[in-house]
């Protein structure tokens, strides 16, 4: 590897700052950049000229004249189409793939069944991605790289998925496998970690440095950002909020999870647990409209929340009990971490209008300081956009710079 001289390193660092300043404050003139960064105007002019030549920025139109009159400055804009990034969200049911520009605008989006292609997953990904690139007329050399979220514990330095139960992966060498197919760099992390990065980049946590993101599905997991850094924990397993115990009575007896390898909170407030409890309760209530459905199949958490919002007494009791436990989990986590915002996502959040007011009412009186609880803004695309954000944060390029301007 060729080492850069101190002067070259300093110049690159300053160049990153100039580019970041343009991205943050566009449209902006050279003189305004010099003022914000406390750089000399000749230094800014040289760096801007290089960024224009490299296609990272555009010069466009003319700005307003100064109060003293005189020549109007050229305005500078970040070129969000200078390169593209691929985001992959691997779930137990489906895999979503997106190609976006550098501002997170999705150019192309696809999905395919996970289990159907699990044995040849990387090969399937390769075929889909290059077909999407061809369809979108994006050259391979225009792709900076790819970020991936997986539902499991990931050793991020090596790219090994230590455990992903829904994929039947144990110590799966994801990065090594990806290098057999892709020439560009690839970064992989836990799906909830990836989602919280997406929310901070483009969603409900923009401009927030301390964030708690909670995904409520079959399981309950969280992504944690502290002082603008993703917190992964000593063994990459931080954020397993689903293992919190929210009933002291269960501490007095041996806990046996409803589902293998799930924690206490997941067993009382996860979507699958709620659906199972609703099914069992309705099977005991022969006059219930869904009695026949409950006998022939298992009802879902989504159905429980829908029925509860319509005033069904059985569903309401089950759902409110689950929400109490979820609220206690939020109280414990938020009291410990002191986030600026708590963001909720997952299948049950399709009933956000029903859930959020109830959670706020339980949570706020117990917290040492108030915190907003919001629904994810990215919704269905949180995973792929988060994966793109993961890549942009982790990959050392001209786009990375400390937030000085």
């Amino acid at each position: 590897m060729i080492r850069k001289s101190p002067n070259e390193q300093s110049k690159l660092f300053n160049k990153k700052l100039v580019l970041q300043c343009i991205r943050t404050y566009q449209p902006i003139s050279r003189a305004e950049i010099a003022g914000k960064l406390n750089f000399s105007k000749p230094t800014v002019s040289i760096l801007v000229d290089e960024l224009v030549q490299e296609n990272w920025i555009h010069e466009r139109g003319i700005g307003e004249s100064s109060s003293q009159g005189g020549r109007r400055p050229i305005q500078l804009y970040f070129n969000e189409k200078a390169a593209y990034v691929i985001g992959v969200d691997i779930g137990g049911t489906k895999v979503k793939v997106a190609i976006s520009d550098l501002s997170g605008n999705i150019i192309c989006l696809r999905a395919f069944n996970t289990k159907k292609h699990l044995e040849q997953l990387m090969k399937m990904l390769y075929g889909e991605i290059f077909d999407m690139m061809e369809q979108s007329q994006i050259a391979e050399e225009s792709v900076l790289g790819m970020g991936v979220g997986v539902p499991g514990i990931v050793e991020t330095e090596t790219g090994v998925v230590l455990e992903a139960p829904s994929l039947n992966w144990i110590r799966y060498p994801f990065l090594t496998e990806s290098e057999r197919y892709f020439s560009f760099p690839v970064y992989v992390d836990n799906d909830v970690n990836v989602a919280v990065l997406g929310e901070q980049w483009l969603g409900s946590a923009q401009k927030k440095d301390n964030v708690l993101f909670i995904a409520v599905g079959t399981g309950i997991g969280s992504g944690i950002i502290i002082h603008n850094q993703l917190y992964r924990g000593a063994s990459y397993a931080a954020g397993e909020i689903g293992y919190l115990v929210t009933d002291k009575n269960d501490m007095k007896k041996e806990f046996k999870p409803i589902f293998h390898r799930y924690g206490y909170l997941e067993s009382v407030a996860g979507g699958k647990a709620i659906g199972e409890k609703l099914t069992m309760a309705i099977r005991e209530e022969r006059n219930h409209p869904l009695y026949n459905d409950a006998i022939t199949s298992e009802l879902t958490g989504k159905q429980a929340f829908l029925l509860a919002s319509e005033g069904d007494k059985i569903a309401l009791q089950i759902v409110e009990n689950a929400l109490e436990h979820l609220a206690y989990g939020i109280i414990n986590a938020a009291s410990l971490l002191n986030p600026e915002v708590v963001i909720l996502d997952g299948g049950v959040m399709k009933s956000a209008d029903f859930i959020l007011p109830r959670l706020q009412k339980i949570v706020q009186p117990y917290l040492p300081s108030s915190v907003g609880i919001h629904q994810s803004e990215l919704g269905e695309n949180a995973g792929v956009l988060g994966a793109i954000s993961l890549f942009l944060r982790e990959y050392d390029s001209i786009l990375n710079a400390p937030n000085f301007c």
Side-chain angles (χ1 to χ4, degrees), residues 135-157:
Q135 175 188 326
S136 305
Q137 297 183 325
I138 294 173
E140 185 174 358
E141 55 267 26
S142 298
V143 175
L144 280 183
M146 180 167 75
V148 183
V150 300
I153 299 172
V154 181
E155 190 175 67
T156 52
E157 284 85 355

Side-chain angles (χ1 to χ4, degrees), residues 46-64:
I46 290 170
L47 296 175
V48 165
D49 287 346
E50 289 186 9
L51 289 168
V52 170
Q53 290 173 8
E54 294 164 5
N55 203 34
W56 291 112
I57 62 174
H58 289 315
E59 295 177 307
R60 194 184 305 166
I62 53 177
E64 298 295 327

Side-chain angles (χ1 to χ4, degrees), residues 13-22 37 39 401-402 404-405:
F13 184 78
N14 291 340
K15 197 170 174 181
K16 288 182 176 184
L17 289 179
V18 170
L19 181 58
Q20 185 196 61
C21 195
I22 294 169
L37 296 178
F39 286 176
F404 285 168
C405 64

Side-chain angles (χ1 to χ4, degrees), residues 12-324:
L12 177 60
F13 184 78
N14 291 340
K15 197 170 174 181
K16 288 182 176 184
L17 289 179
V18 170
L19 181 58
Q20 185 196 61
C21 195
I22 294 169
R23 293 179 73 179
T24 304
Y25 296 106
Q26 63 180 324
I28 188 171
S29 68
R30 288 170 170 79
E32 289 170 327
I33 294 170
K36 288 185 180 295
L37 296 178
N38 198 26
F39 286 176
S40 70
K41 290 182 180 179
T43 295
V44 170
S45 186
I46 290 170
L47 296 175
V48 165
D49 287 346
E50 289 186 9
L51 289 168
V52 170
Q53 290 173 8
E54 294 164 5
N55 203 34
W56 291 112
I57 62 174
H58 289 315
E59 295 177 307
R60 194 184 305 166
I62 53 177
E64 298 295 327
S65 60
S66 66
S67 57
Q68 293 81 23
R71 183 180 178 184
R72 294 179 176 179
I74 297 292
Q75 297 296 295
L76 304 170
Y77 295 80
F78 175 61
N79 178 17
E80 58 190 19
K81 308 293 185 188
Y84 299 88
V85 180
I86 297 162
V88 180
D89 178 22
I90 301 176
T93 304
K94 66 179 178 180
V95 177
K96 291 186 71 173
V97 187
I99 301 177
S100 92
D101 64 21
L102 298 175
S103 293
N105 300 305
I106 293 178
I107 310 300
C108 190
L109 181 68
R110 286 191 190 175
F112 59 86
N113 184 278
T114 305
K115 292 181 180 178
K116 184 178 178 181
H117 300 283
L118 189 56
E119 291 187 8
Q120 297 290 329
L121 183 64
M122 205 64 70
K123 184 177 181 180
M124 181 67 182
L125 262 181
Y126 173 83
E128 287 292 297
I129 286 169
F130 279 88
D131 190 50
M132 291 166 69
M133 288 165 56
E134 184 177 353
Q135 175 188 326
S136 305
Q137 297 183 325
I138 294 173
E140 185 174 358
E141 55 267 26
S142 298
V143 175
L144 280 183
M146 180 167 75
V148 183
V150 300
I153 299 172
V154 181
E155 190 175 67
T156 52
E157 284 85 355
T158 62
V160 173
V161 180
L162 300 177
E163 185 177 18
S166 64
L167 303 176
N168 293 317
W169 285 354
I170 296 177
R171 299 205 63 85
Y172 178 73
F174 189 94
L175 189 56
T176 301
E177 288 297 308
S178 71
E179 289 172 348
R180 294 174 53 200
Y181 290 89
F182 303 106
S183 59
F184 44 70
V186 176
Y187 291 83
V188 60
D189 204 337
N190 169 266
D191 55 354
V192 187
N193 284 346
V194 159
V196 71
L197 294 179
E199 288 293 334
Q200 190 194 43
W201 183 32
L202 297 171
S204 301
Q206 290 182 67
K207 300 181 180 178
K208 306 292 186 185
D209 288 342
N210 300 278
V211 184
L212 174 61
F213 177 95
I214 302 175
V216 185
T218 299
I220 303 176
S222 70
I224 303 165
I225 293 176
I226 300 175
H227 296 317
N228 200 36
Q229 296 297 314
L230 183 64
Y231 181 69
R232 295 183 172 100
S235 58
Y236 311 96
E240 292 289 350
I241 193 173
Y243 282 80
L244 289 178
V245 177
T246 51
D247 187 336
K248 67 178 184 179
N249 293 322
D250 280 306
M251 295 292 287
K252 300 175 182 177
K253 57 187 179 182
E254 183 182 357
F255 166 63
K256 294 181 179 179
I258 295 176
F259 312 110
H260 179 60
R261 297 188 65 80
Y262 281 84
Y264 178 81
L265 184 57
E266 292 166 325
S267 292
V268 294
K272 189 173 179 63
I274 293 170
E276 184 172 276
K277 289 179 181 180
L278 178 68
T279 303
M280 294 171 62
I282 289 180
R283 284 175 181 174
E284 297 176 0
E285 189 67 42
R286 291 181 174 273
N287 294 327
H288 196 280
L290 291 182
Y291 174 75
N292 289 333
D293 292 339
I295 291 296
T296 57
S297 62
E298 187 173 298
L299 303 177
T300 65
K302 180 180 178 181
Q303 287 175 294
F305 280 99
L306 179 61
L307 287 171
S309 65
E310 294 172 349
D312 183 278
K313 291 183 179 180
I314 294 176
L316 193 59
Q317 183 179 3
I318 290 169
V319 163
E320 289 190 336
N321 179 66
L323 289 180
E324 281 186 13

